[in-house]
Amino acid sequence: MSGFGEAHLEDADETVRVRFVVNDRKVACEVAPRETLVDCLRNELELTGTHAGCEMGACGACLVQIDGRAVHSCLMLAVQADGARINTIEGLTENGAIADLQAEFHRRNALQCGFCTPGMLINAHELLSQMAQPSREQIRDALSGNYCRCTGYEAIVDAIDTVAKARSAGGTT
Amino acid sequence: MVTNLASRLVSRWDLEETAVKAKAFSYFRAATIDQALDAHARAGDDARFIAGGQSLVPALSLRLQAPRLLIDITHIGELRGVGREGGYLRIGALTRHCEMLSEPLIAEFAPLLHAAAPFVAHPAIRNRGTFGGSVALADPASEFPAMTLALDAEIEIAGPSGCRRVKADDFFIDLFETALQPGELITAVYVPLFKADQRFAFDELARRRGDYALVGCGMLGTFTGEHIDDIRISFFSVGNTPTRVRGAERALIGARLDAERIAAAQGALEGDLAPPESDEVPPAMRLHLARVLLGRLLGRLGEGA
């Protein structure tokens, strides 16, 4: 983008064109500058697996991966993500990256209402990509920004712990 | 982080009355510092710079802030990078909190910041939030602003009238108020390189990991054996600004670090700190927690922490 022009001040109510790669597909859409990424994903791209919870970074339900790192999509404007690679829970499900985590969450009943689950899975995925064998304490610390209002944390920690051990042993769960 | 910032600033009643979508604004992605400063001036200073946005985006959503223009500075290369410059480590303003954990130069030359980083919010916030942004916001409950005081860091600022460096001691003025003038932005923070005769310690007391601390503290001491030549101690979550406790420092400088000196430093806190009235954490409780934390950290310093 070039320098600033007075015309920039006139486009507050206009939409601007943004392009990203979402779940390995190139996408372009028109967004208002004030639109958050979570609203863009859900409303423009109909990727409703990303959940809008508190919309101020407290609950973790809206986590997506931006350029490989877990990020709150409610704390980012869609225009800020212009040019980024985004993976949502749909993409990580399709490409099988978290299949073992999903299976273990299912097996252990690590979800009740399921609202927090996409964020939990994305956070767990990032944790296990950075730390092969986290302790239960480290798992809890990593999940400290993800709320489960069904309070099902014990089973969630169990599931992540089990997958970490299975991955380290070179097997599948 | 902001999470809590927002909930602290807006009562529950207000929240119910307030929209959770931002007021309309224009957006400009700056490629250089000059472009960003120029855009700010031409918007009549009714503009905000956005970096990680982990505090600003919720403030916009809650309409605590409603600028005409948002200037995205995250694509400005000049604001990136960590490197040695003379006796300092220059930490670019856009250095993310997660990089404070992973960058080897920070672990080696600014280990107090490395030790504080895991306490900053939650992992996903650390992936986006920036060091410069945290210092610029100057949340009195944040870890990094307080640590710039303990480190005797200098803050590099670019603005319409040029570039200047401000000592951390002169930077924090009042609640969310700093030496930054409208239209100025932080470009980097300079931290004196950690030396072999120095020791540091950091910890905070919080109800849950990632929550704002009830009380937090970091310190950097220069020793000859067990003799304290110099020490800087900074608290956060104790008032309107991050706070150096000069009385406690004076009780320690020039002395041997022993139980008697630790008790003297703890005793001095009452004169150094004036915690605000709060239903949740009354001033006397916060002062007590500050004494406990100071004792623990000085104990660790004595063990060569």
Side-chain angles (χ1 to χ4, degrees):
Chain A
M1 217 180 271
S2 59
F4 182 79
E6 257 64 19
H8 275 103
L9 291 172
E10 307 309 321
D11 61 10
D13 297 314
E14 310 280 323
T15 57
V16 288
R17 191 166 184 78
V18 293
R19 294 178 183 77
F20 359 84
V21 177
V22 180
N23 300 333
D24 292 327
R25 287 187 269 286
K26 285 186 182 171
V27 174
C29 55
E30 300 284 330
V31 298
R34 64 168 162 172
E35 190 166 346
T36 56
L37 181 61
V38 65
D39 284 345
C40 175
L41 292 170
R42 291 178 57 84
N43 302 338
E44 317 296 333
L45 303 177
E46 299 185 350
L47 292 167
T48 53
T50 303
H51 291 165
C54 68
E55 299 193 59
M56 49 187 213
C59 77
C62 70
L63 290 183
V64 297
Q65 280 190 333
I66 308 274
D67 298 324
R69 301 299 293 259
V71 164
H72 291 86
S73 57
C74 76
L75 292 187
M76 192 166 180
L77 302 166
V79 284
Q80 286 180 285
D82 188 22
R85 291 186 71 87
I86 303 168
N87 281 316
T88 68
I89 192 70
E90 289 90 346
L92 294 173
T93 300
E94 278 170 30
N95 70 21
I98 54 170
D100 52 353
L101 276 166
Q102 288 169 310
E104 198 59 29
F105 267 57
H106 182 242
R107 187 178 354 245
R108 294 202 172 242
N109 286 328
L111 66 161
Q112 291 174 52
C113 81
F115 191 85
C116 70
T117 312
M120 289 284 183
L121 287 168
I122 283 175
N123 215 345
H125 181 50
E126 172 150 319
L127 172 68
L128 297 187
S129 69
Q130 291 176 346
M131 204 182 277
Q133 281 184 293
S135 65
R136 289 181 73 87
E137 183 68 17
Q138 286 166 323
I139 294 171
R140 284 186 176 275
D141 190 33
L143 295 181
S144 62
N146 289 71
Y147 288 0
C148 166
R149 290 298 76 177
C150 308
T151 70
Y153 297 104
E154 197 66 21
I156 292 168
V157 175
D158 287 344
I160 296 168
D161 188 34
T162 303
V163 171
K165 285 177 178 142
R167 284 189 187 178
S168 296
T172 52
T173 53
Chain B
M1 277 183 51
V2 184
T3 358
N4 308 308
L5 164 63
S7 59
R8 291 201 329 256
L9 292 179
V10 183
S11 73
R12 177 163 289 276
W13 173 256
D14 289 337
L15 261 179
E16 286 164 5
E17 296 288 299
T18 310
V20 290
K21 302 293 174 189
K23 197 164 181 293
F25 49 76
S26 300
Y27 172 86
F28 172 64
R29 187 180 277 191
T32 64
I33 292 173
D34 286 345
Q35 272 187 8
L37 298 177
D38 177 56
H40 204 287
R42 284 159 79 177
D45 286 336
D46 187 5
R48 297 288 301 186
F49 296 116
I50 185 166
Q54 302 299 281
S55 298
L56 183 54
V57 172
L60 292 169
S61 296
L62 292 161
R63 302 199 175 193
L64 298 171
Q65 303 245 0
R68 188 177 171 206
L69 175 69
L70 209 57
I71 302 162
D72 189 344
I73 60 170
T74 51
H75 295 265
I76 301 176
E78 305 154 84
L79 302 179
R80 295 202 169 278
V82 177
R84 285 177 66 168
E85 260 188 53
Y88 291 87
L89 190 67
R90 181 186 192 276
I91 303 173
L94 288 178
T95 305
R96 298 197 190 279
H97 301 329
C98 59
E99 294 174 289
M100 304 299 282
L101 278 168
S102 62
E103 169 58 55
L105 286 172
I106 289 177
E108 186 176 355
F109 295 114
L112 180 59
L113 294 175
H114 182 78
F119 293 87
V120 179
H122 308 288
I125 305 267
R126 294 200 289 269
N127 285 343
R128 285 287 298 167
T130 66
F131 184 59
S134 175
V135 174
L137 180 65
D139 188 316
S142 282
E143 290 82 1
F144 287 143
M147 293 312 101
T148 64
L149 281 177
L151 290 165
D152 198 13
E154 292 177 28
I155 292 133
E156 185 184 67
I157 297 168
S161 48
C163 195
R164 63 197 177 107
R165 266 162 83 157
V166 176
K167 287 224 163 228
D169 277 328
D170 301 321
F171 185 77
F172 303 102
I173 295 171
D174 206 338
L175 188 62
F176 297 112
E177 189 188 343
T178 67
L180 281 171
Q181 297 300 309
E184 288 189 324
L185 60 84
I186 294 179
T187 47
V189 176
Y190 287 79
V191 177
L193 297 176
F194 185 68
K195 296 172 199 68
D197 58 355
Q198 290 186 314
R199 302 177 194 175
F200 68 95
F202 176 93
D203 210 344
E204 65 181 44
L205 301 171
R207 291 207 167 92
R208 294 174 309 175
R209 182 68 168 259
D211 279 5
Y212 269 108
L214 299 169
V215 172
C217 180
M219 57 182 67
L220 181 71
T222 306
F223 284 74
T224 302
E226 288 311 302
H227 184 91
I228 304 171
D229 298 328
D230 192 20
I231 190 165
R232 293 173 68 98
I233 305 172
S234 178
F235 276 85
F236 51 99
S237 272
V238 290
N240 281 356
T241 61
T243 306
R244 260 183 81 190
V245 287
R246 292 168 194 267
E249 291 173 1
R250 276 195 299 273
L252 295 161
I253 293 171
R256 250 183 91 84
L257 183 58
D258 56 23
E260 191 189 327
R261 283 294 98 198
I262 292 175
Q266 286 174 309
L269 281 187
E270 195 164 346
D272 287 326
L273 299 175
E277 285 298 332
S278 146
D279 292 341
E280 218 179 314
V281 190
M285 174 178 164
R286 217 184 280 272
L287 193 58
H288 170 74
L289 293 176
R291 282 193 208 101
V292 170
L293 191 56
L294 182 65
R296 277 186 202 168
L297 291 178
L298 288 172
R300 281 187 219 163
L301 227 52
E303 290 157 15

